Every structure is written in structure tokens, then in C-alpha cells.
Amino acid sequence: MAGLSGLPGPPGLPDYHVHTFRCGHAGGASREFVEAALARGLSEIAFTDHIPLYFLPAANRDPKLAMREEELDGYLEEVRGLQDAYRGRIPIRLGLEADYAEGHEEALSRWLARADWDLVLGSVHWVAGDWIDAPGSAARFPREGADHLYTEYYRLLAKAAATGFFDVLTHFDLPKKHGHRPDTALHDAEERAIAAARSAGCAVEISSAGLRKPVAEMYPEPRLLRRLVGAGVPVTFSSDAHAPAEVGWGYERTVPEARAAGVEEFVTIARRRKTAHPLPPP
Ligand SMILES: [Zn+2]
Ligand SMILES: [Zn+2]
């Protein structure tokens, strides 16, 4: 976190990727996340906790990775309560970070039907039969090959976008998390994911979370962000906060980098409808 303060960031931007204690790896009361958003001058906050691991056998649904099925109702109730409590002070969006898992689309659509979401984030964390971003995943890269894992990841990301289930694609270049880069340029694989996002009308998040990981670089990296913007894919801003201090964290780096990559506007999303806004001036 060196050089990145916990002080107010540029005002007027949303944080559209925030977790709660239910996912098993986030801390702090949900109310504190909202207070942090207010303190930073953010325009909106969206709770987007991890969908239960519907695509894994029940015995493999690690409660340290996502909320349990029986926690969903409590999650909905809590976010709605916070919406009421903070009405007129800051809009709080009801969201979900939903895993895309190939072959499990029907189960996913049943989960997504369980609430009137403001926004659904589409994430590919499960690639070629295992997690791509868990602490133990780093060992997969030398074993299975970075090119193979990246190619498979982008294939799944494109498929996720094409389902139409998602409003925003998260951490677009997630396989880089532990610092592994592809051995060869993956221009075509990336291009298919970019094209799928554009066709589906999916936005992409500019996430500061990568700055907190070994790779120390925002998602997506500036080179990819430039291509996404060039293709007309809308963007929004997020931190993937797992603690109140991470809400709006790192925007003093991601916003200038976004501007340098050609971003001129961002979207907000309510009831699954996007509204474009100009990026605040520097
Ligand atoms: Zn994620
Ligand atoms: Zn997340």
C-alpha cells in the first residue's frame, strides 16, 4: 500500500465492488463500508458479495470463499436496511459478484432470479478445473503454462459476457494477480473477450484491487484498458473492498491512469440500467 493514502479520493465516483463479512474473507460491519464511502466523497456504493458456490459439490463450498446459501436472505435484508438508513445521503446499490462457471448457466440464472439486483458483476475465478486467483493458484502457472491458463480464462470471460447475465465484468486480466504474464501475446484471445463485452453491453470495472496484489497493477492493465475504451466498452470504478479502509482505495492512481488510457466517461448502474457521466476533471 506504499504511497497510497487512506484519505479522500477524487469525489463523485462510485465504488461498485464491495464485499461483506458473509464471504468469509472480509472484515468490518457493512455500515462501516458505507461510512468510508461517505468519508471519501464517493457518489455511490454497491454491495456485491460473492454468490454461493453453486457450481461446486456441496462438500467443496468453502465458507471462506463465498457466502453460504442460507446467508443470501440476510444479505438482501441488510443491504435494503442500509439503503433505507442512508437514503438522501448516498445511494447504496444491491449487487452480487457472480461466478461464471461453464455448464452451470441454468443454476446461475436461478440464483440471479432471487432478487431485483441493481447490478450483477460477472467474474471468472474458476478456470480449467480450479481457482485461478486463490493463494495456492500461483503454482498452477509453471505447471500448466501461463499461455494455456490465460487463453482458457479469456475464452470463459467471453462466454460469460455473452450469457447476458452480467452488467459489469470484474478484474478483466485476473490471471496476472500473482505476477504471471503470458509467454506470448494473446491478442486474439483478449480481442474475443473485448468483442463479447461490447456486443453484450457489459461494462468493465477499473479496479484498484490489483494494486494490493503481488502484480501491483490495476485491473485491467492500461494497455488493455486502452483497447476496451477504443472498442466502446463502458467502464466503472471499484476497489473490490474486503475491509472498510479499502472502499474507494487507490483511486488517486486508477483515475489518472484511466484518463491517460482515454477514459472520458464512466457509468453508474441502477436496476440494471446504465447511465453515463463525464469523468470528473483532474
Ligand atoms: Zn472476484
Ligand atoms: Zn470481489
Side-chain angles (χ1 to χ4, degrees), residues 21-22 67 70-80:
F21 64 90
R22 288 176 190 79
M67 75 167 102
E70 56 272 29
E71 289 178 299
L72 181 76
D73 290 339
Y75 172 64
L76 299 176
E77 204 174 302
E78 182 180 50
V79 175
R80 288 174 183 142

Side-chain angles (χ1 to χ4, degrees), residues 150-166:
Y150 269 90
T151 305
E152 183 63 1
Y153 171 82
Y154 282 122
R155 183 185 72 78
L156 294 169
L157 193 64
K159 245 185 132 173
T163 61
F165 287 149
F166 307 115

Side-chain angles (χ1 to χ4, degrees), residues 59-108:
N60 299 354
R61 293 177 194 161
D62 185 346
K64 291 239 173 302
L65 294 180
M67 75 167 102
R68 291 174 288 116
E69 298 201 24
E70 56 272 29
E71 289 178 299
L72 181 76
D73 290 339
Y75 172 64
L76 299 176
E77 204 174 302
E78 182 180 50
V79 175
R80 288 174 183 142
L82 288 167
Q83 288 174 328
D84 289 341
Y86 284 89
R87 204 172 301 286
R89 294 181 68 199
I90 186 169
I92 298 172
R93 305 297 177 200
L94 174 62
L96 189 69
E97 179 176 10
D99 288 82
Y100 174 71
E102 193 173 33
H104 298 268
E105 290 82 355
E106 263 187 55
L108 175 56

Side-chain angles (χ1 to χ4, degrees), residues 245-265:
E246 290 173 355
V247 173
W249 181 90
Y251 281 26
E252 64 272 32
R253 273 183 59 188
T254 58
V255 175
E257 286 198 45
R259 199 176 281 114
V263 171
E264 292 177 352
E265 55 180 35

